[in-house]
Amino acid sequence: MLMVLLALVSCRHDDEIFIPENVTMSKPELSDIKGFYLLNEGNMGSNKSTLDYYDYTTGVYTRNIYGNANPSVPKELGDVGNDIAVYGTKLYAVINCSNKIEVMDMATAKRVGQINIPNCRYIKFHDGYAYVTSYAGPVEINPDYEQKGYVAKVDTASFTVVDTCVVGFQPDELEIVDDRIYVANSGGYMVPNYENTLSVIDIATFKEVERVPIAINLQCVVGDEYGGLWVSTRGDYYEEESALFCYDVRKKRIETKLDVPVSSMWLDGDMLYVVSIAWSNITMSDEVTYAVIDVRTHEVLTRNFITDGTEKKIKKPYGVAVNPITKDIYVTDAKNYVNPGTLYCFGQDGALKWSVRTGDIPAHFAFIGK
Amino acid sequence: MLRRKLLCFVGVLMNILVPAQKVFAVEVEAIDTMLNLKEVSVVRSYKPYIEVIPAQKLDGEQLQRLNSFSVADAVRYFSGVQIKDYGGVGGIKTVDIRSMGTNHMGVFYDGIQLGNAQNGQIDLGKFSLDNIEEVSLYNGQKSDIFQPAKDFGAAGTIYLRTRTPKFENNKRTNVKVLFRTGSFGLVNPSILLEQKLSDNLSAAINAEYIDANGKYKFRYKKVFSDGTLAWDTTATRQNGDVYSLRVEGGLYGKMKGGKWNAKAYYYDSERGIPGAIVNNVWKTSQRQWDRNFFAQGSFQKRIGSRYELLLSAKYAIDKMRYLNPDTTLMYLDNKFTQQEVYVSAANKFKLLKDWELNLSVDYTWNTLDASLTNFVYPKRHSVLVALATAYKWRGWKAQASVLGTFVQDCSTATSGTGSVTKRIKSFDEFTPAVFVSYKPVETFPLNFRAFYKRIFRMPTFNDLYYTDIGNANLEPEYVNQYNLGLQYQSALDCGVLTGLSMRADAYYNYVTDKIISVPKGTGQYRWMMMNIGKVKIRGIDVNAQARFTFPYNIEVDANLSYTYQRAQDYTDPTDNEPGAGTYKGQISYIPWHNGSVVIHGTWKKVELNYSFIYVGERYHNSSNIRANYEQPWYTHDLSAGYSFNIGKVNMKISAEVNNLFNQYYDVIVNYPMPGRNYKAILKIEI
């Protein structure tokens, strides 16, 4: 029996670099969009933020490419990927709990640089600079001082932070409209004293010039081409519910409030795609929404863009994206945050085309090509 | 590669050295006393029943030899046990028995359960082996009906028994001084004083101080598939420092037909929380302060020839402060205070010569106070009633018990508008247990045993009421346990083999309504506790001990244990992608194979100890894919000791090398464990 045991037990061996896994999802689709990156957040402390890539030219989905593309980087991509974007020929991944922005070559995902910003959240670009929100503003020696967040201005040529602008508490998403940066302050660490404003930063002077009250605990912000800024609140999980506002930056007023809860949103042309799962501590349940809003008319076109019943399989809708050419809709399922997630691809008609296993907490998209 | 294979082989080879053929017979009833020859107390000898299923035990001398720093280190040598170890001197160490989860484990300190109503977890890293005389582990429950109702209320129990003063010859005072030092900047003195006050009363006081900077080197590396190095990084573990002071004292009394004891315990500590090692983050700055106090006592007496009474009582207050001063993260400075009052009465009646009945009633009051927004200040009243009976007939022994649990939780919910509502939630449940053993041949020390137990764990205060995470609608988490096993145990006179014990058990546990955290709503890291988990655990525990007596006073003891477990996640039948779905996947951090080998030799005043621990491959998620794979790990520890006298003073010096082959491993992903480390110990006994 002991010999059998000996045969069963295995010895330790060196950890090998992860070889990415390829899965063929579809026939090649040739358009100006070559593919997209999907950033998996990974649960906090797991160091399992991973990068997946879908290649339209081959129809192949590739899981977990970063380690193989960058075999000399210790501890790989990092802990909690929070945002991803393409600018020029580079891919920028904001890795929240690794306090860095990983800059990679857009085509190969090979590292070209790293920008250290503590507790960094979201990124946007304008005229050669990246603007990044961070929760971790300057610290003062004052026992009652509470730490505000800031926006960092990063030179995309040198990958260095050239300026910072202090905003509200725990700023999340940001949007740039008419040479102004609009920052959604959440105040998520200040419960129950949430923030309720957008910070407005003038790009030329890089100073906060205005605070615009919208609602508490702001999260997402995206601007349309009509001067409308679509801003979401997470609510306070009790009486205040998650909702969506349209603030007109030219008229400087809130035009619309929609009772559409928002976890994540994606603007494609005039269509604003919203997925959400809203928790209420009062009803002790989740409410799931897959909405489409026409940003021209401010009308909710549907509250469930999935038409074939696939929504019943999705446990925790988390991220959404739309291919600007084919209009295919991508929805991610983060499941229970620790199990691997799933990416669902829907046609424009809302019917499932394919689905694939991803990394943990699939969340953020960046399309390649135009 | 070959060398590493060889080392692994040598470790496991020790298994084969134990001959398993020749057996001799001895009265099995003596087992329990044979193992604990020194402590056959007056009360113990009254007991007509010994346990139906004996415990796995480590006692005084064995414990001292194991290179163990804390109780958690020692418990690793039991079969069926998994330790969650976050590494280092101050890292949290909790025990999971037979994959049912830490919260199903009851830990008893001198017969009274250590409570943690807040999170249900007992950090065994906090308990020193310094004054512990015996550690025993029971699956199901201690199969002795004469015990408080709480002892019936866990799926598995660990008993820590502190040293009862014993005085040789005419001594009235014992003094033991220990000093340990070594890696991690460890400075660890302790002193034990025992005083005989009268023939029936003695006192003991024990104080221990630990100071360590907790620093150690750790290393992570990866290679390409052809074996060439991709990256290799070595760093020093930071923020693992720990300071602690433990003082405890007790009075131990004897009387005709009974005994009593009373003790007080105080523990004060500050420690760094080293945190996960992730990309670009190599140190953390979270701190934790603990201050625990409890006073407890028990009184046991036989009254008349048919009745015996055991009274127990305890008051405990635990204060904890958690600080996250890291300005890149959410600043947190939370304080928690728990209190517990516990009283118990166990009444044993002897109905017939071989038939006993026990009725135990316990009452516990728990509170939790926390500096959290929207906190609900829970209070819990628990009444436990256990009715148990034991019967013996020829080679058969049987025990059956039923436990009634009556819990009432009160909490105050404050709504957003500031109005306060009081919420009361009650819970009643009855759960049974049956234990049977059979010895087919009176003269042959082979026993078969079986048990069934249904039990549950109450949701903890954190599960129910932690602001935002808690779910006040939670129900308890249930487990049904089935066990079949056999045991052979005998003293022998067979060449050099002078003692042999072997035990094997096969078991099946089914955990339902498992309380697991699931994410909720919008936003990151918002969790919710839900009763949705299901786990089926099938396992085998094997344990063997042998003693060899060689010429020239050489004695060798060998102990080996092995556990096989298949612990499958049955929570979500829809998550069933072949090879990747969580459905039927091995649950997180449970290896299929794990085991240990301990070999100890003495020659006159010299002793040597070798211990080996093996934990096989695991996954850190029940999706058993490569990205979730965790390597096996195994450590070899060596120690040597030499005893000598200076006048009437007994002294012993010993040295330890732990993790001899300097294996860098994680028990929990991203929490690196120490490589090779050293310790020197000086013991002085007067």
Side-chain angles (χ1 to χ4, degrees):
Chain A
M1 187 185 90
L2 293 162
M3 288 309 285
V4 175
L5 282 186
L6 245 181
L8 283 173
V9 301
S10 56
C11 281
R12 198 176 170 86
H13 44 86
D14 285 329
D15 275 325
E16 286 179 15
I17 294 290
F18 194 91
I19 305 297
E21 298 165 334
N22 292 321
V23 198
T24 302
M25 303 316 310
S26 137
K27 286 180 186 151
E29 261 173 42
L30 299 175
S31 78
D32 286 346
I33 301 289
K34 301 274 183 294
F36 64 81
Y37 286 102
L38 171 61
L39 181 65
N40 299 287
E41 293 186 353
N43 198 17
M44 200 170 169
S46 71
N47 198 47
K48 282 172 79 182
S49 182
T50 56
L51 197 57
D52 296 352
Y53 182 71
Y54 181 67
D55 187 343
Y56 287 109
T57 65
T58 58
V60 173
Y61 188 85
T62 309
R63 266 193 294 270
N64 208 340
I65 61 170
Y66 183 89
N68 194 49
N70 301 281
S72 62
V73 178
K75 288 273 176 185
E76 296 87 25
L77 187 55
D79 200 29
V80 189
N82 206 63
D83 197 10
I84 191 166
V86 167
Y87 188 68
T89 59
K90 310 261 182 345
L91 179 68
Y92 294 76
V94 181
I95 313 297
N96 180 225
C97 295
S98 286
N99 303 319
K100 67 162 187 183
I101 292 152
E102 181 79 14
V103 188
M104 293 161 279
D105 177 74
M106 183 183 79
T108 60
K110 283 193 191 302
R111 156 188 280 226
V112 291
Q114 172 174 319
I115 304 153
N116 287 317
I117 296 177
N119 209 335
C120 43
R121 301 288 297 169
Y122 291 92
I123 190 164
K124 279 275 154 54
F125 300 90
H126 186 264
D127 275 352
Y129 290 97
Y131 296 91
V132 181
T133 51
S134 163
Y135 283 4
V139 181
E140 288 173 11
I141 302 173
N142 169 1
D144 298 325
Y145 177 74
E146 285 159 326
Q147 191 175 23
K148 288 190 170 177
Y150 69 99
V151 175
K153 181 178 180 181
V154 180
D155 184 339
T156 57
S158 62
F159 305 144
T160 51
V161 176
V162 293
D163 203 356
T164 59
C165 175
V166 173
V167 291
F169 292 109
Q170 294 84 47
D172 274 328
E173 291 193 9
L174 70 171
E175 179 63 295
I176 299 169
V177 184
D178 298 342
D179 292 330
R180 286 188 158 198
I181 306 172
Y182 293 84
V183 182
N185 295 311
S186 74
Y189 288 177
M190 316 297 292
V191 182
N193 305 312
Y194 292 107
E195 286 275 8
N196 66 349
T197 58
L198 289 169
S199 285
V200 186
I201 300 170
D202 176 53
I203 286 207
T205 59
F206 203 53
K207 293 276 183 288
E208 186 184 56
V209 291
E210 201 181 339
R211 284 290 189 102
V212 180
I214 303 285
I216 60 158
N217 202 2
L218 299 180
Q219 179 190 16
C220 303
V221 50
V222 59
D224 64 30
E225 60 177 282
Y226 311 104
L229 200 61
W230 295 81
V231 187
S232 74
T233 161
R234 294 183 179 102
D236 66 358
Y237 316 106
Y238 288 89
E239 278 88 2
E240 289 291 327
E241 292 187 344
S242 179
L244 180 61
F245 294 84
C246 181
Y247 172 75
D248 190 308
V249 297
R250 293 163 195 164
K251 295 178 190 154
K252 294 203 171 186
R253 65 173 191 226
I254 295 171
E255 291 284 302
T256 310
K257 180 190 174 185
L258 298 172
D259 63 337
V260 176
V262 180
S263 295
S264 177
M265 56 194 196
W266 184 278
L267 182 65
D268 179 66
D270 283 347
M271 297 297 134
L272 183 66
Y273 291 79
V274 173
V275 300
S276 82
I277 182 147
W279 175 264
S280 164
N281 276 345
I282 292 170
T283 63
M284 300 294 273
S285 62
D286 277 324
E287 185 199 338
V288 179
T289 311
Y290 302 91
V292 182
I293 292 134
D294 185 330
V295 297
R296 209 160 30 93
T297 62
H298 296 193
E299 238 180 292
V300 181
L301 301 180
T302 173
R303 283 178 184 267
N304 186 5
F305 59 72
I306 300 172
T307 52
D308 62 354
T310 305
E311 72 274 15
K312 291 185 191 77
K313 286 190 193 164
I314 303 176
K315 295 190 180 75
K316 191 71 43 176
Y318 199 78
V320 62
V322 178
N323 180 317
I325 292 174
T326 65
K327 305 296 178 192
D328 279 353
I329 308 162
Y330 298 91
V331 175
T332 65
D333 182 358
K335 297 186 178 166
N336 68 353
Y337 289 3
V338 292
N339 294 342
T342 304
L343 171 66
Y344 291 89
C345 172
F346 298 93
Q348 208 178 350
D349 59 354
L352 183 68
K353 285 184 155 179
W354 50 261
S355 68
V356 66
R357 172 162 54 87
T358 62
D360 299 355
I361 320 185
H364 309 282
F365 293 84
F367 285 93
I368 304 298
K370 264 274 149 33
Chain B
M1 205 67 199
L2 181 67
R3 188 172 143 263
R4 221 172 294 115
K5 269 236 149 69
L6 208 65
L7 293 179
C8 182
F9 179 77
V10 168
V12 185
L13 186 71
M14 302 307 176
N15 302 9
I16 302 162
L17 298 177
V18 182
Q21 306 96 349
K22 260 192 149 184
V23 285
F24 280 68
V26 102
E27 172 58 85
V28 72
E29 303 273 315
I31 292 164
D32 202 36
T33 43
M34 189 189 94
L35 281 175
N36 306 291
L37 225 43
K38 278 174 284 177
E39 55 89 42
V40 182
S41 66
V42 184
V43 175
R44 199 174 188 96
S45 60
Y46 285 132
K47 294 184 179 174
Y49 290 104
I50 63 143
E51 296 159 340
V52 177
I53 301 180
Q56 297 187 63
K57 273 181 188 163
L58 284 167
D59 57 16
E61 279 304 302
Q62 282 174 297
L63 280 176
Q64 299 307 321
R65 296 169 195 154
L66 278 176
N67 299 24
S68 301
F69 188 66
S70 72
V71 170
D73 294 334
V75 169
R76 299 187 300 174
Y77 295 97
F78 291 138
S79 51
V81 166
Q82 300 299 325
I83 300 279
K84 274 201 170 168
D85 188 341
Y86 290 82
V89 182
I92 299 169
K93 294 167 177 63
T94 58
V95 176
D96 176 359
I97 179 169
R98 291 184 169 181
S99 305
M100 292 178 288
T102 307
N103 288 303
H104 279 288
M105 197 74 217
V107 181
F108 291 75
Y109 197 70
D110 278 336
I112 296 181
Q113 189 167 14
L114 292 165
N116 187 343
Q118 184 181 359
N119 64 18
Q121 305 205 341
I122 305 297
D123 181 2
L124 288 177
K126 283 184 190 169
F127 292 90
S128 158
L129 286 172
D130 233 37
N131 65 330
I132 301 282
E133 188 166 63
E134 183 184 271
V135 178
S136 36
L137 172 95
Y138 294 86
N139 295 113
Q141 66 203 28
K142 186 165 74 173
S143 42
D144 170 356
I145 60 167
F146 187 43
Q147 58 189 1
K150 271 207 175 176
D151 296 51
F152 294 92
T157 42
I158 289 178
Y159 288 84
L160 311 177
R161 210 183 59 223
T162 61
R163 185 174 143 137
T164 308
K166 283 179 218 74
F167 301 93
E168 283 171 8
N169 307 323
N170 292 322
K171 274 180 81 176
R172 295 192 69 83
T173 308
N174 293 330
V175 180
K176 186 172 97 168
V177 178
L178 261 171
F179 183 78
R180 295 189 189 88
T181 185
S183 306
F184 320 115
L186 177 72
V187 176
N188 176 206
S190 87
I191 182 162
L192 174 72
L193 289 171
E194 293 171 338
Q195 180 67 41
K196 190 172 187 173
L197 301 173
S198 74
D199 280 351
N200 290 326
L201 183 64
S202 55
I205 183 159
N206 175 223
E208 181 180 16
Y209 173 83
I210 297 171
D211 189 83
N213 62 34
K215 286 186 180 162
Y216 55 86
K217 283 221 158 57
F218 65 91
R219 179 179 180 185
Y220 284 110
K221 71 168 187 174
K222 283 209 173 170
V223 298
F224 292 102
S225 52
D226 65 1
T228 56
L229 190 68
W231 57 267
D232 185 350
T233 186
T234 302
T236 300
R237 194 75 166 128
Q238 304 286 348
N239 199 36
D241 61 295
V242 59
Y243 139 82
S244 77
L245 174 69
R246 176 178 57 83
V247 181
E248 58 184 293
L251 288 171
Y252 302 82
K254 281 187 287 195
M255 73 202 87
K256 192 170 178 296
K259 63 176 181 181
W260 62 274
N261 78 73
K263 69 184 303 170
Y265 174 102
Y266 174 77
Y267 178 85
D268 180 61
S269 81
E270 176 184 348
R271 70 192 64 210
I273 301 174
I277 295 295
V278 301
N279 175 283
N280 214 25
V281 178
W282 298 88
K283 67 179 285 193
T284 54
S285 50
Q286 286 84 352
R287 313 285 303 166
Q288 183 178 323
W289 289 261
D290 286 279
R291 194 167 286 173
N292 310 110
F293 171 81
F294 65 76
Q296 67 178 42
S298 68
F299 170 90
Q300 182 178 342
K301 186 163 169 51
R302 198 167 64 133
I303 299 163
S305 60
R306 290 186 176 273
Y307 175 69
E308 200 170 346
L309 173 69
L310 169 63
L311 297 172
S312 315
K314 178 178 183 172
Y315 168 74
I317 179 162
D318 299 317
K319 287 179 179 284
M320 196 266 264
R321 175 180 172 214
Y322 172 84
L323 174 71
N324 179 9
D326 186 345
T327 53
T328 64
L329 299 166
M330 183 171 177
Y331 177 87
L332 283 174
D333 188 356
N334 291 328
K335 295 185 178 99
F336 302 90
T337 303
Q338 293 190 63
Q339 289 189 79
E340 176 173 312
V341 172
Y342 168 72
V343 286
S344 163
N347 309 274
K348 187 172 75 171
F349 309 93
K350 191 170 187 171
L351 300 176
L352 296 169
K353 180 171 163 288
D354 294 324
W355 186 20
E356 290 183 338
L357 193 69
N358 180 69
L359 178 68
S360 302
V361 181
D362 291 13
Y363 167 77
T364 316
W365 174 79
N366 293 98
T367 65
L368 175 63
D369 189 359
S371 62
L372 294 170
T373 310
N374 292 339
F375 194 66
V376 300
Y377 305 99
K379 290 180 180 58
R380 175 174 288 174
H381 301 272
S382 317
V383 174
L384 276 72
V385 181
L387 183 65
T389 181
Y391 188 71
K392 194 171 115 179
W393 182 71
R394 296 191 179 169
W396 292 89
K397 274 186 274 180
Q399 288 178 2
S401 60
V402 60
L403 174 69
T405 305
F406 310 94
V407 178
Q408 192 183 67
D409 281 6
C410 305
S411 56
T412 48
T414 310
S415 76
T417 56
S419 62
V420 178
T421 48
K422 201 166 182 183
R423 190 186 161 113
I424 292 182
K425 193 183 164 193
S426 298
F427 170 80
D428 305 334
E429 180 67 293
F430 291 89
T431 48
V434 182
F435 290 72
V436 180
S437 83
Y438 176 58
K439 186 178 166 191
V441 181
E442 183 63 30
T443 52
F444 189 74
L446 176 69
N447 266 35
F448 294 90
R449 71 275 190 100
F451 78 81
Y452 163 74
K453 180 170 184 174
R454 176 171 169 79
I455 194 65
F456 59 90
R457 68 138 178 128
M458 285 303 291
T460 65
F461 282 163
N462 278 1
D463 294 339
L464 290 161
Y465 307 117
Y466 200 90
T467 302
D468 271 0
I469 296 168
N471 173 0
N473 296 322
L474 279 182
E475 295 294 317
E477 170 182 321
Y478 287 86
V479 56
N480 279 309
Q481 301 180 81
Y482 305 84
N483 184 97
L484 263 179
L486 54 88
Q487 177 159 6
Y488 167 86
Q489 185 156 4
S490 174
L492 299 169
D493 182 15
C494 165
V496 294
L497 183 62
T498 49
L500 183 63
S501 154
M502 286 184 293
R503 48 195 292 160
D505 286 274
Y507 56 89
Y508 170 65
N509 299 331
Y510 185 29
V511 183
T512 54
D513 299 320
K514 191 175 172 70
I515 297 169
I516 52 181
S517 58
V518 291
K520 65 172 180 184
T522 48
Q524 288 175 307
Y525 316 118
R526 295 181 49 75
W527 300 83
M528 178 76 179
M529 307 308 293
M530 302 276 255
N531 285 105
I532 58 169
K534 280 193 184 69
V535 184
K536 290 182 182 175
I537 304 130
R538 296 169 177 90
I540 295 166
D541 288 351
V542 181
N543 192 277
Q545 291 176 14
R547 168 166 287 191
F548 305 91
T549 309
F550 295 101
Y552 307 106
N553 300 326
I554 297 172
E555 284 216 333
V556 175
D557 287 295
N559 183 338
L560 72 94
S561 71
Y562 166 78
T563 303
Y564 169 79
Q565 285 187 98
R566 198 162 57 132
Q568 291 171 287
D569 185 345
Y570 277 75
T571 304
D572 182 5
T574 65
D575 190 2
N576 57 6
E577 183 188 341
T582 57
Y583 188 65
K584 295 191 184 179
Q586 183 88 349
I587 61 171
S588 62
Y589 291 118
I590 301 299
W592 281 268
H593 306 278
N594 71 292
S596 68
V597 178
V598 180
I599 296 170
H600 176 262
T602 51
W603 174 66
K604 294 181 180 169
K605 291 177 168 181
V606 180
E607 57 182 279
L608 278 172
N609 193 78
Y610 164 79
S611 30
F612 170 75
I613 285 193
Y614 176 87
V615 172
E617 56 186 11
R618 305 146 292 152
Y619 290 88
H620 62 243
N621 181 277
S622 36
S623 167
N624 298 165
I625 56 175
R626 227 192 96 208
N628 295 335
Y629 180 79
E630 293 296 315
Q631 296 257 9
W633 62 266
Y634 32 94
T635 53
H636 304 258
D637 300 344
L638 270 183
S639 71
Y642 178 70
S643 307
F644 57 99
N645 299 331
I646 298 175
K648 281 186 169 178
V649 180
N650 297 321
M651 304 190 66
K652 183 179 170 188
I653 49 169
S654 24
E656 295 178 0
V657 186
N658 301 316
N659 195 356
L660 187 65
F661 297 105
N662 203 24
Q663 185 174 91
Y664 291 104
Y665 65 102
D666 287 3
V667 176
I668 305 294
V669 64
N670 301 326
Y671 286 84
M673 299 292 289
R676 188 184 303 122
N677 61 84
Y678 306 90
K679 206 185 301 167
I681 303 162
L682 173 67
K683 183 165 91 175
I684 301 166
E685 278 178 303
I686 304 165

